[in-house]
Amino acid sequence: FNGTGRVGSPACGDEMVMWVQIDPKTERIIDCRWRTFGCGSAIASTSVLTEMLIEKGGMEINDAIKLRPQDILAHLGGLPDRKVHCSVLGD
């Protein structure tokens, strides 16, 4: 993998680590692995985010940077209002 990221929220105890493999010629994310510690909603949000990043041949980096929690929520099919904050780890 040629990219890594770590983000967490001490307030709620969730943490996400993500590794991406980016094709330097196409600037597309061709593989993505992750580890999330936290509630089921945080884990589900991370999982669906990684699917979004690699589906259809991989998302271009510039498009991936523009993703917002609302995009993750829409792809996930929504979350209860009290769990929406869990989708922001990937953002």
Side-chain angles (χ1 to χ4, degrees):
F1 293 94
N2 51 11
T4 61
R6 179 183 300 264
V7 65
S9 172
C12 64
D14 295 336
E15 181 182 40
M16 177 183 78
V17 181
M18 186 174 286
W19 299 268
V20 294
Q21 184 175 7
I22 300 168
D23 182 325
K25 292 179 184 175
T26 64
E27 295 190 347
R28 288 187 177 273
I29 299 168
I30 56 174
D31 198 5
C32 185
R33 304 299 168 129
W34 57 276
R35 183 168 292 164
T36 295
F37 301 96
C39 68
S41 297
I43 294 167
S45 296
T46 305
S47 179
V48 77
L49 170 61
T50 59
E51 291 300 317
M52 293 169 67
L53 294 174
I54 62 173
E55 68 186 358
K56 300 177 185 172
M59 186 177 284
E60 291 183 4
I61 297 170
N62 288 334
D63 293 332
I65 291 170
K66 295 175 188 172
L67 285 174
R68 297 290 166 241
Q70 297 83 355
D71 302 321
I72 298 167
L73 285 171
H75 209 79
L76 185 60
L79 286 173
D81 289 340
R82 63 185 175 80
K83 290 294 190 172
V84 169
H85 70 279
C86 300
S87 67
V88 302
L89 284 176
D91 175 53

